[in-house]
Amino acid sequence: MYGNYLDEAARIVAEKREENLKFEHARLTAEEKDDLLLKFHPDRITEQFTELKIGPNKGQKAPLELARMLQAKPRLEPEKIDLNHIDYETDVLVIGGGGAGTSAAIMASEAGAKVLLVTKLRVGDANTMMAEGGIQAADKPNDSPAQHYLDAFGGGHFDGKPELVSTLVTKAPSVIKWLNDLGVEFDKTEDGTMVTTHGGGTSRKRMHACKDYSGAEIMRTLRDETFNRADSITVVDFTAAIEIIKNDKGEAAGAVLLNIETGEIRIAKARVVIIATGGAGRMHYQGFPTSNHYGATADGLVMAYRAGAKLLYQDSLQYHPTGAAYPTQILGKLVTEKVRSLGAKLINKDGEVYIHPLETRDVNASGIIREVREGRGVKNDVQDAVWLDTPMIEMIHGEGTILKSIPAMYNMFIKYGIDIRKEPILVYPTLHYQNGGVEIDSTCHTNVKNLLVAGEASGGVHGTNRLMGNSLLDVVVFGREAGIEAGKIFKSIPLSDRLSLQHVKDFEKEREGAKITGDEISPKVLPVYHHGNKEFDKEIPGATL
């Protein structure tokens, strides 16, 4: 047991478990959902957003933390960068080594392109690796891409770009087959049929999973395939892109790279640039904990914005309803939605089931915040929270289900003496996904020529809320689409000899004209958790780390 004051709180849950197991909370009406979101969702807190003063989205709102990065001083001084000294020359430059970046690199390679993949950590150090619950695809007889479309489009509050949602759902079955053929170990029955389950907001069982290590298994496979193509894909790790390079026509033509170990600046020239830098959880919007990996700092949005690319829904973030809220060591870590799809219910301090466990993520996150704010949360010395009653799972499906279906969840909590087979766990929303990003079309093009964006760094696929299982699908579908498109166009694009950072200089003038002050620099590259320890700072020619 918890061995502290929480034992008594957990006892209340245990006493009502049999009763709660039989109780089915009604789904909220559309009006009830809207009211709940308006009152409690973090995206609706007006004072946490500000109007952008410069750039392609001038006049639109953005989270305070993101706005500071979008409008901060560039990390480099253009006049100190020698663009005539080329360190890497390639057909396709892929920035980011997660699911989208590796998928793009593989497909561009398959089309005959010479690919340079740069990643500021290692290939696989990405949010893809940390996704747990599964990947959606309508590939069963009782389902269809049309039904998937309705779920995804509606779940995103009808804000998604229809052509992007259509691409997402229609490519999904072939993507599952592609991953399976590459070697992803999906859960299957004895006859080889893929096991599928429900997720929040899904009208059919279309969640394909690899226990609760789905993202890790998919990332492992994509990473291996990337390395298997070493003859055409060059990987440069621990290297962050800090600025897009353009040519004299204003087209993307490469990037300025920063080796984060040595502080050295490198120049990469390319015919096509693909940004696949992932999310922004390490920006810790509104002080929320995050489930994201260490490098998720919105770098792609910053670089694309400074290069003139428009953003879409940059004011929309996803707060996953079930982040671990106890103990301190795992605060913010993801508790996969699969736990709820297996039958665990959300319970307040009074032992009451207060909401359906598979409402969409924004609704369930708002519901948890409401319970805590209105005094029905479980108080503790880490993060006031609600219970997720995990012992219900084995009462429904039988002993052994948790170790078989969600071993990662069991392992995460048992380290701290909490056996989720016998005890409920405490959860609270965690900053999980960047719904918005760089605006793209169905072939991943931005409004900057030869600059493509794929995966979580893009905006429009999920509208203003994402359903479970559509993120892993997004990164692979649109990573592949970006790679396929780059493979189609790279031969017709000459390598430019006239490289320029004039757009960075122009951005600086825009900052001055808008009277934007402050010493913050962007992109952030890595989050800073130390406080003023100058030993961590490095002298970098033409850049500041």
Side-chain angles (χ1 to χ4, degrees), residues 303 305 407 446:
M303 289 187 289
Y305 195 71
T446 69

Side-chain angles (χ1 to χ4, degrees), residues 14-271:
E15 287 176 352
K16 293 190 174 184
R17 186 166 292 134
E18 290 278 1
E19 176 186 343
N20 284 335
L21 189 61
K22 299 173 184 176
F23 175 68
E24 285 295 328
H25 196 287
R27 294 276 190 170
L28 299 182
T29 65
E31 292 74 18
E32 288 171 333
K33 290 178 183 179
D34 287 343
D35 183 60
L36 182 60
L37 291 169
L38 182 63
K39 291 179 180 177
F40 296 102
H41 196 276
D43 280 357
R44 309 297 178 95
I45 303 175
T46 305
E47 60 269 25
Q48 292 295 331
F49 297 83
T50 190
E51 187 177 290
L52 293 169
K53 298 178 180 178
I54 59 175
N57 292 79
K58 180 180 177 180
Q60 296 180 14
K61 69 175 183 176
L64 297 173
E65 298 86 348
L66 178 60
R68 284 198 292 270
M69 288 294 98
L70 291 175
Q71 301 179 143
K73 292 167 60 176
R75 186 170 280 278
L76 57 78
E77 298 175 57
E79 59 274 9
K80 293 184 179 180
I81 304 299
D82 183 5
L83 295 178
N84 294 313
H85 182 83
I86 307 300
D87 298 284
Y88 304 101
E89 190 171 286
T90 190
D91 295 324
V92 179
L93 170 64
V94 178
I95 304 170
T102 51
S103 294
I106 291 165
M107 298 314 293
S109 161
E110 198 166 282
K114 178 184 176 184
V115 180
L116 177 70
L117 187 154
V118 297
T119 178
K120 65 181 171 185
L121 297 173
R122 301 164 300 176
V123 174
D125 287 331
N127 285 346
T128 303
M129 185 75 180
M130 307 176 84
E132 295 167 344
I135 177 171
Q136 286 201 44
D139 59 359
K140 291 294 179 72
N142 69 331
D143 203 358
S144 70
Q147 191 65 44
H148 189 178
Y149 181 97
L150 292 173
D151 290 347
F153 194 47
H157 303 297
F158 305 98
D159 290 326
K161 293 180 72 171
E163 66 271 28
L164 299 184
V165 184
S166 178
T167 299
L168 180 78
V169 302
T170 55
K171 300 286 184 179
S174 60
V175 158
I176 293 294
K177 183 180 185 306
W178 183 67
L179 291 172
N180 186 63
D181 291 346
L182 283 178
V184 171
E185 296 286 349
F186 287 110
D187 296 341
K188 298 174 183 176
T189 60
E190 289 184 3
D191 66 0
T193 302
M194 290 197 187
V195 176
T196 52
T197 59
H198 271 302
T202 62
S203 59
R204 300 289 187 275
K205 292 182 177 180
R206 69 173 70 97
M207 203 69 56
H208 300 65
C210 313
K211 295 185 168 48
D212 55 350
Y213 292 102
S214 301
E217 172 61 10
I218 289 172
M219 191 69 251
R220 175 195 67 80
T221 306
L222 293 173
R223 180 196 61 197
D224 288 352
E225 182 64 16
T226 298
F227 289 144
N228 286 343
R229 293 173 173 265
D231 58 334
S232 56
I233 302 175
T234 300
V235 174
V236 180
D237 54 13
F238 296 107
T239 298
I242 57 173
E243 212 69 68
I244 298 300
I245 297 172
K246 290 185 171 184
N247 59 24
D248 57 338
K249 298 177 182 177
E251 303 165 341
V256 180
L257 310 177
L258 169 66
N259 184 307
I260 64 172
E261 293 183 302
T262 67
E264 296 172 289
I265 292 290
R266 292 287 182 261
I267 304 299
K269 182 163 71 169
R271 303 174 196 272

Side-chain angles (χ1 to χ4, degrees), residues 169-448:
V169 302
T170 55
K171 300 286 184 179
S174 60
V175 158
I176 293 294
K177 183 180 185 306
W178 183 67
L179 291 172
N180 186 63
D181 291 346
L182 283 178
V184 171
E185 296 286 349
F186 287 110
D187 296 341
K188 298 174 183 176
T189 60
E190 289 184 3
D191 66 0
T193 302
M194 290 197 187
V195 176
T196 52
T197 59
H198 271 302
T202 62
S203 59
R204 300 289 187 275
K205 292 182 177 180
R206 69 173 70 97
M207 203 69 56
H208 300 65
C210 313
K211 295 185 168 48
D212 55 350
Y213 292 102
S214 301
E217 172 61 10
I218 289 172
M219 191 69 251
R220 175 195 67 80
T221 306
L222 293 173
R223 180 196 61 197
D224 288 352
E225 182 64 16
T226 298
F227 289 144
N228 286 343
R229 293 173 173 265
D231 58 334
S232 56
I233 302 175
T234 300
V235 174
V236 180
D237 54 13
F238 296 107
T239 298
I242 57 173
E243 212 69 68
I244 298 300
I245 297 172
K246 290 185 171 184
N247 59 24
D248 57 338
K249 298 177 182 177
E251 303 165 341
V256 180
L257 310 177
L258 169 66
N259 184 307
I260 64 172
E261 293 183 302
T262 67
E264 296 172 289
I265 292 290
R266 292 287 182 261
I267 304 299
K269 182 163 71 169
R271 303 174 196 272
V272 182
V273 178
I274 300 174
I275 288 177
T277 51
R282 292 289 169 167
M283 301 282 279
H284 293 290
Y285 297 111
Q286 300 186 35
F288 271 80
T290 184
S291 63
N292 285 190
H293 82 107
Y294 190 60
T297 50
D299 295 355
L301 272 63
V302 171
M303 289 187 289
Y305 195 71
R306 199 135 59 213
K310 295 178 181 177
L311 305 182
L312 181 64
Y313 301 136
Q314 68 278 355
D315 57 337
S316 178
L317 287 305
Q318 181 169 84
Y319 297 82
H320 194 291
T322 54
Y326 186 93
T328 304
Q329 296 93 324
I330 54 173
L331 176 63
K333 289 283 190 180
L334 183 64
V335 176
T336 174
E337 193 164 306
K338 190 172 182 180
V339 175
R340 284 175 285 134
S341 71
L342 286 169
K345 295 181 181 180
L346 293 162
I347 312 286
N348 63 23
K349 76 175 180 66
D350 300 318
E352 298 171 343
V353 178
Y354 63 89
I355 200 168
H356 193 285
L358 291 181
E359 294 284 4
T360 56
R361 286 179 172 181
D362 54 351
V363 171
N364 258 326
S366 299
I368 292 172
I369 292 171
R370 178 194 64 193
E371 295 302 294
V372 169
R373 287 188 186 169
E374 294 185 350
R376 295 183 296 277
V378 181
K379 291 191 172 296
N380 67 86
D381 56 6
V382 178
Q383 167 67 65
D384 291 355
V386 300
W387 292 110
L388 183 57
D389 199 5
T390 49
M392 285 184 170
I393 293 172
E394 300 206 335
M395 292 174 70
I396 297 169
H397 302 286
E399 189 175 339
T401 301
I402 284 176
L403 290 180
K404 179 182 177 182
S405 299
I406 48 171
M409 292 297 93
Y410 174 81
N411 290 332
M412 184 165 77
F413 282 93
I414 200 65
K415 292 177 185 176
Y416 306 101
I418 300 169
D419 187 340
I420 69 172
R421 299 171 299 180
K422 302 173 183 177
E423 304 159 89
I425 56 178
L426 288 167
V427 294
Y428 190 79
T430 184
L431 189 54
H432 184 57
Y433 196 83
Q434 179 178 271
N435 288 328
V438 185
E439 185 169 5
I440 60 171
D441 64 16
S442 58
T443 53
C444 300
H445 283 280
T446 69
N447 60 291
V448 176

